[in-house]
Amino acid sequence: MEDIEIRIAELTDLDGLCNLEAATFDPAKYHMLSRRQFRYLLTKGNADILVAIYEGKIVGAAILFYRKTSRFGRLYSLAVHSSLQKRSIGRLLFEVAEKTMMQRGLKGLLCEFRQDEAQLSDFYKKMGCQPIGILKNYYADGMIGIKTKKIFKQ
């Protein structure tokens, strides 16, 4: 979608991020970020939050975490509003996340997804992520997480 803008989130995006989180994730299945946690990430955290803007609203977000001791970034969360899924917004966010991490000099990224989400498995595989581990009892409802890694092509 050529009318999607991807940019780094600002503190003024706090309400939109909280609304997207609530609209996208089921708290019975996922650990949800609070308003306070979003504020911390936007102001002090060793993180970037990318937002996808469509018609002036946040319709997607990617949360990236960094560790000073690691050459890999972590794609903590990738969310696209349900009304706009299947429109390549997730792919755009992932690609910008990858470029953002490469600009930081990182070697690759790590991410996790629910074992019961076949679509996510296909998506991450398509994006070049390889499974590297199983995380038992990882999600809020006890579901297994699949840990993946992607090494960037320099």
Side-chain angles (χ1 to χ4, degrees):
M1 294 179 66
E2 62 277 347
D3 43 359
I4 296 288
E5 174 196 359
I6 309 283
R7 63 169 171 75
I8 297 284
E10 302 164 354
L11 196 52
T12 56
D13 296 319
L14 190 55
D15 287 338
L17 287 165
C18 291
N19 291 338
L20 178 68
E21 181 93 347
T24 308
F25 297 112
D26 177 352
K29 291 179 158 187
Y30 293 95
H31 302 284
M32 308 288 284
L33 289 179
S34 68
R35 182 178 188 81
R36 185 176 181 184
Q37 288 168 315
F38 271 118
R39 179 182 292 280
Y40 177 82
L41 292 175
L42 289 167
T43 58
K44 299 178 187 153
N46 195 11
D48 284 319
I49 301 177
L50 302 172
V51 289
I53 309 294
Y54 177 67
E55 295 182 347
K57 293 185 181 150
I58 293 176
V59 297
I63 301 173
L64 318 176
F65 288 165
Y66 309 108
R67 276 193 179 143
K68 291 178 178 137
T69 59
S70 177
R71 300 272 300 144
F72 286 83
R74 180 173 175 216
L75 176 59
Y76 174 77
S77 176
L78 184 64
V80 176
H81 196 280
S82 60
S83 66
L84 291 169
Q85 289 185 358
K86 306 275 191 229
R87 292 189 160 175
S88 299
I89 297 170
R91 181 185 53 77
L92 281 171
L93 281 164
F94 187 96
E95 289 169 353
V96 175
E98 194 172 339
K99 286 178 189 163
T100 301
M101 290 181 186
M102 287 170 69
Q103 288 169 348
R104 285 178 165 258
L106 296 173
K107 181 179 176 179
L109 69 80
L110 303 169
C111 62
E112 307 84 27
F113 63 88
R114 292 175 60 90
Q115 184 183 41
D116 62 353
E117 294 278 357
Q119 280 184 303
L120 287 178
S121 177
D122 293 343
F123 172 78
Y124 286 116
K125 200 177 287 180
K126 231 183 264 182
M127 299 311 293
C129 297
Q130 301 295 316
I132 59 167
I134 292 177
L135 306 163
K136 294 183 179 177
N137 199 31
Y138 190 69
Y139 289 93
D141 62 353
M143 177 54 61
I144 290 171
I146 305 298
K147 186 171 188 169
T148 68
K149 177 191 269 187
K150 178 173 183 175
I151 296 177
F152 301 143
K153 292 179 179 136
Q154 302 295 343

